[in-house]
Amino acid sequence: MTSPHLADLTTAAVGGPARHYVRAETEQAVVDAVAEADAAGRAVLVVGGGSNLITADDGYAGTVVHVASRGVQVVAEDAGSVLLEVQAGHSWDELVAQAVAEGLVGIEALSGIPGTTGATPVQNVGAYGQEVAQTVELVRAWDRHERRVREFAPAELAFAYRDSALKRSTVDGSPRHVVLAVRFRLARGAASAPVRYGELARRLGVEVGERAPLAQVRETVLALRAGKGMVLDPADRDTYSTGSFFTNPILPVGALGDRLPAEAPRFPVVDAAGNPLEDRVKLSAAWLIDHAGFGKGFGLPGTRNEVLDLDGAAVAGGRASLSTKHTLALTNRGDASAADLMALARTVRDGVASVYGVDLVAEPVIVGTGV
């Protein structure tokens, strides 16, 4: 098969050609492709929806395994819940839409997140008060080191904020485990899980901790995400990104220093079991970026492609710029390179560190180039 450019496989639309490319449409095809590349001594890059990936402009010298397996199967069910097994290449938002339509509760606030299901436990994907860690019951994966299929229970996955044991375990710098399928335990019901995110609760007209109709939660989350350029739209350059580029910093309470003003938002931190961590505090990366001087639409000087704000007025911009809707997204305005995005990322990261003494950490997987 002709090797595509990584730009064609990623939502940021940057990246050069893959030297070797395999589209794997079944679990076994994924295993065979990864095992063959490992046996040949070639580096492996596993790509799902490409929504959390930036690769170098000169391409990838190893094998790109494009996980395209699909399918949702009911493994077990009872009066109160359903256990679903979902193939790694299945569209995540299609799964959420199906769950809401069938009255299955637990992932409705994760609507509109691009990418595939197999990536969600690796990153412990979360938004609007929900994380996949709350519903994952098992992950089946190919272990590249032991050359066998393994199954991981939630305790073995060691979920944390945007993190898991799968993300931390590597072989020669690339992931040791390749997710093949994920099982989710979802409750039956017409109402959502308790709404834990203030902004979502306000839009729904409920108090934090209350429930709302499943379909209403999904529709409201989709509207909130669209307003921030976080729902893919081919006609909207604000959505040509990896979503939130930087994670919200979690710091020891005593490490905040005196450069962070009192008005800077601070949020409580809990562990995987929901227990509060009194010695930790979460900051808003978006607030830090904006108040360090990098507003919506900010781009580096000397580049092309004027960026317009929501009212159609010109703002500072370039081939790569912060979204005009949300400062956490680094967007490709039309002909940006990976180098353009990384230059912008470094400028923002270094600026926040200079102003507030806080180090921002990139959320996407970055291959062949770096922040």
Side-chain angles (χ1 to χ4, degrees), residues 291-328:
H291 287 77
F294 307 103
K296 297 172 183 176
F298 173 85
L300 298 180
T303 58
R304 297 168 292 163
N305 291 1
E306 187 174 63
V307 179
L308 303 180
D309 67 14
L310 297 180
D311 298 318
V315 296
R319 291 190 296 264
S321 79
L322 300 184
S323 166
T324 65
K325 303 179 182 73
H326 198 283
T327 57
L328 266 185

Side-chain angles (χ1 to χ4, degrees), residues 61-366:
T63 295
V64 170
V65 178
H66 187 187
V67 178
S69 53
R70 291 182 56 83
V72 180
Q73 177 185 1
V74 175
V75 175
E77 57 183 322
D78 55 34
S81 68
V82 175
L83 182 62
L84 298 179
E85 180 168 296
V86 188
Q87 292 296 300
H90 198 90
S91 163
W92 172 254
D93 194 52
E94 287 183 20
L95 173 65
V96 178
Q98 178 180 339
V100 169
E102 296 179 0
L104 300 178
V105 180
I107 56 175
E108 58 280 352
L110 302 179
S111 293
I113 295 175
T116 53
T117 300
T120 61
V122 177
Q123 191 76 5
N124 187 19
V125 165
Y128 295 104
Q130 284 185 348
E131 293 180 333
V132 294
Q134 296 163 341
T135 54
V136 168
E137 187 153 304
L138 179 143
V139 172
R140 187 163 61 251
W142 173 250
D143 187 325
R144 296 170 59 199
H145 179 70
E146 297 184 6
R147 297 182 59 81
R148 66 183 180 96
V149 174
R150 294 182 58 189
E151 294 185 342
F152 295 87
E156 298 172 287
L157 294 167
F159 285 122
Y161 172 66
R162 301 299 178 268
D163 197 14
S164 72
L166 295 172
K167 183 177 179 179
R168 295 189 293 270
S169 181
T170 60
V171 173
D172 296 328
S174 62
R176 169 176 170 172
H177 300 102
V178 179
V179 176
L180 302 173
V182 186
R183 290 185 180 180
F184 300 92
R185 175 73 66 178
L186 303 179
R188 296 184 187 274
S192 70
V195 177
R196 300 298 185 192
Y197 196 80
E199 182 184 20
L200 177 58
R202 288 190 295 273
R203 288 287 290 268
L204 289 166
V206 302
E207 297 294 324
V208 171
E210 293 183 345
R211 302 174 187 265
L214 271 179
Q216 184 184 1
V217 172
R218 173 169 168 78
E219 291 166 4
T220 303
V221 168
L222 288 173
L224 285 168
R225 292 183 63 86
K228 299 173 183 178
M230 296 292 185
V231 176
L232 291 175
D233 179 355
D236 184 358
R237 298 307 304 190
D238 269 324
T239 70
Y240 284 66
S241 73
T242 58
S244 298
F245 191 91
F246 295 105
T247 59
N248 291 319
I250 295 178
L251 302 174
V253 172
L256 294 180
D258 57 5
R259 284 192 280 175
L260 193 69
E263 65 269 20
R266 294 164 170 82
F267 305 98
V269 179
V270 298
D271 62 19
N275 302 310
L277 300 177
E278 303 292 348
D279 62 339
R280 295 287 187 273
V281 63
K282 182 189 294 184
L283 306 179
S284 166
W287 189 95
L288 293 169
I289 291 167
D290 189 25
H291 287 77
F294 307 103
K296 297 172 183 176
F298 173 85
L300 298 180
T303 58
R304 297 168 292 163
N305 291 1
E306 187 174 63
V307 179
L308 303 180
D309 67 14
L310 297 180
D311 298 318
V315 296
R319 291 190 296 264
S321 79
L322 300 184
S323 166
T324 65
K325 303 179 182 73
H326 198 283
T327 57
L328 266 185
L330 276 63
T331 64
N332 178 350
R333 307 313 302 185
D335 58 357
S337 64
D340 290 330
L341 287 175
M342 292 302 98
L344 177 61
R346 286 190 293 271
T347 299
V348 171
R349 179 204 62 189
D350 294 348
V352 168
S354 176
V355 174
Y356 294 117
V358 176
D359 294 325
L360 295 180
V361 176
E363 186 170 331
V365 175
I366 300 171

